[in-house]
Amino acid sequence: MDPNMDRRPWDWNAMVTWKGRARTLMESEYLSDATIVLSSVGNDGNEKCYNVHRIFMESASPSFQRLFREADDTSMGGRCTILISDTPSHIMDMIIRYVYLDEVEIQDLDQSLELLGSAICYKVFGLIRLLCPRIINQIKSDNALKIYKCAHEWDKVDIKEAAMDIICRDADVLIETIEFLELPEECVAEIIRRDDLGVSSELKLYYAVKRWGEMKCEREGLDPLKNENLRSTLRNLVGTIRFPLMDQEEFTLNVGVNNQILNMEDMVAILLYFTVPKEKRSGIPPGRFKSNPRVRNRERASSSASNDCQILGSYNSNQSDLGAAYVSAARQAPANDSFPDLRDLIAATRRQHIGSSHDSSHEEILKAVLNNLD
């Protein structure tokens, strides 16, 4: 305790309220009984100390309560001191100000996000409740992905949902940004599986996911031009792309001819899907790829768009049955000019893959399909 404390000039008029008294204690450090030391790491090489009152800090944060009580065990009866290495001083300033005065001054959204991350870390629940609505009110198209990424990391569902609504609304623009390419896989998966994702075409989404996979390969030191690397990177995402929403021509020219992410079974399943008339696709067994239009795009869909909610299945343990179902559906379909093109592409796929390393059942299925389409 400062022996000269009783001789300091007090502004008694400032201490007629609880907040005034708390402000005086915070600024004067009078009767403080603990010290928070911020390491020089992340603080411009300067160590900073805060002399605080444990009753304030512990009443606002169970994390500070735990840190102080753990420090008690090693302080040997001396002043309780804790060392913190992962919080910048300007953020700790705001946390302490909130703990004492129940107020916070924030300059911009970036600072709000940084402060919220620390408030979550230290479990300052009152500050969390204060910041979340402020951040939600600031979500716009140009920051939605950044906020969504932070909210995902902190598991803040209310912020995630608000950001997701903006992302779905403006998906056509946002999936082409660098922020989309920097999202973790879990975030990308949550976005592209949404039924209300507002993309103008599934082909555009396919290219965005492909770009994301290429960038991830580069970050991990893998060559994105090698199909096996890209296919492995996107193995958990490819099933969320709704290839059946493409038309046959755009799928063939953009995905099939230079296929880098689909395996052989998926290629055949999707190509055969296009041979079946829309009114007969309900007979296709459920499986891997959704074919129902995304809700935000239904007003853009033509009157001939499929309204079925069937899911295409890749070949699995029931490969023979599924292959037979596609063959049966294709044989019932009326002849049309696209059949020869499909046969040629499937035949090319067969020539490329049969004879290389693969499940032996694939060859028999493809042979049966090709024979029955002839």
Side-chain angles (χ1 to χ4, degrees), residues 146-171:
K146 177 180 182 178
I147 293 175
Y148 184 81
K149 181 179 179 181
C150 292
H152 175 79
E153 179 183 343
W154 303 325
D155 195 26
K156 295 304 297 175
V157 176
D158 51 347
I159 299 179
K160 280 183 69 174
E161 290 178 349
M164 178 65 87
D165 190 58
I166 302 298
I167 293 169
C168 288
R169 186 195 71 189
D170 300 332

Side-chain angles (χ1 to χ4, degrees), residues 35 238 301:
T35 301
V238 67

Side-chain angles (χ1 to χ4, degrees), residues 68-339:
F68 284 129
R69 294 188 179 183
E70 288 175 353
D72 282 338
D73 297 336
T74 59
S75 63
M76 303 296 291
R79 186 178 180 86
C80 180
T81 301
I82 61 174
L83 177 64
I84 292 177
S85 60
D86 57 357
T87 304
S89 59
H90 69 279
I91 294 298
M92 186 58 71
D93 289 343
M94 288 189 282
I95 290 176
I96 291 176
R97 182 181 182 86
Y98 173 79
V99 166
Y100 278 84
L101 305 178
D102 202 28
E103 63 183 35
V104 62
E105 296 178 359
I106 300 172
Q107 296 179 356
D108 52 35
L109 176 63
D110 287 341
Q111 200 170 76
S112 293
L113 292 172
E114 189 177 14
L115 180 57
L116 178 58
S118 293
I120 292 171
C121 175
Y122 296 116
K123 297 186 171 85
V124 187
F125 297 117
L127 185 53
I128 295 170
R129 286 194 292 271
L130 178 68
L131 289 171
C132 285
R134 293 188 183 187
I135 291 173
I136 289 173
N137 289 336
Q138 295 181 72
I139 299 175
K140 300 182 296 183
S141 183
D142 60 357
N143 61 32
L145 288 171
K146 177 180 182 178
I147 293 175
Y148 184 81
K149 181 179 179 181
C150 292
H152 175 79
E153 179 183 343
W154 303 325
D155 195 26
K156 295 304 297 175
V157 176
D158 51 347
I159 299 179
K160 280 183 69 174
E161 290 178 349
M164 178 65 87
D165 190 58
I166 302 298
I167 293 169
C168 288
R169 186 195 71 189
D170 300 332
D172 234 24
V173 174
L174 296 181
I175 61 175
E176 295 190 334
T177 63
I178 186 65
E179 288 81 5
F180 179 80
L181 301 181
E182 292 173 345
L183 290 175
E185 181 177 312
E186 295 84 357
C187 289
V188 176
E190 289 175 358
I191 290 171
I192 64 179
R193 71 165 60 104
R194 294 278 297 210
D195 286 332
D196 57 345
L197 190 65
V199 288
S200 56
S201 73
E202 205 69 17
L203 182 62
K204 188 171 185 177
L205 183 62
Y206 160 76
Y207 277 121
V209 173
K210 188 168 177 244
R211 287 192 299 272
W212 180 90
E214 291 168 345
M215 179 166 280
K216 186 180 181 185
C217 283
E218 292 176 357
R219 287 197 298 265
E220 296 179 352
L222 301 173
D223 183 358
L225 297 179
K226 291 185 177 180
N227 292 353
E228 60 270 23
N229 292 338
L230 192 57
R231 189 170 292 136
S232 176
T233 298
L234 295 175
R235 64 186 180 278
N236 297 323
L237 296 178
V238 67
T240 58
I241 303 173
R242 304 185 184 187
F243 293 104
L245 296 185
M246 301 179 189
D247 62 41
Q248 178 185 319
E249 181 178 347
E250 68 180 358
F251 176 83
T252 302
L253 295 178
N254 294 278
V255 182
V257 171
N258 188 29
N259 175 40
Q260 290 180 281
I261 70 172
L262 289 173
N263 59 38
M264 186 180 182
E265 299 88 344
D266 290 338
M267 281 286 292
V268 171
I270 296 168
L271 289 170
L272 288 175
Y273 177 87
F274 291 130
T275 71
V276 180
K278 292 181 176 62
E279 64 272 14
K280 295 191 176 184
R281 288 175 183 172
S282 60
I284 299 176
R288 183 163 166 79
F289 299 104
K290 285 187 176 181
S291 61
N292 56 301
R294 298 181 189 272
V295 174
R296 289 181 186 264
N297 290 333
R298 282 180 181 164
E299 64 273 14
R300 303 191 195 112
S302 66
S303 58
S304 60
S306 171
N307 290 321
D308 67 274
C309 294
Q310 294 299 315
I311 299 174
L312 282 175
S314 64
Y315 293 105
N316 48 38
S317 59
N318 296 318
Q319 289 174 334
S320 296
D321 292 341
L322 187 55
Y326 277 111
V327 170
S328 176
R331 290 179 68 182
Q332 295 177 42
N336 63 72
D337 294 338
S338 65
F339 268 45

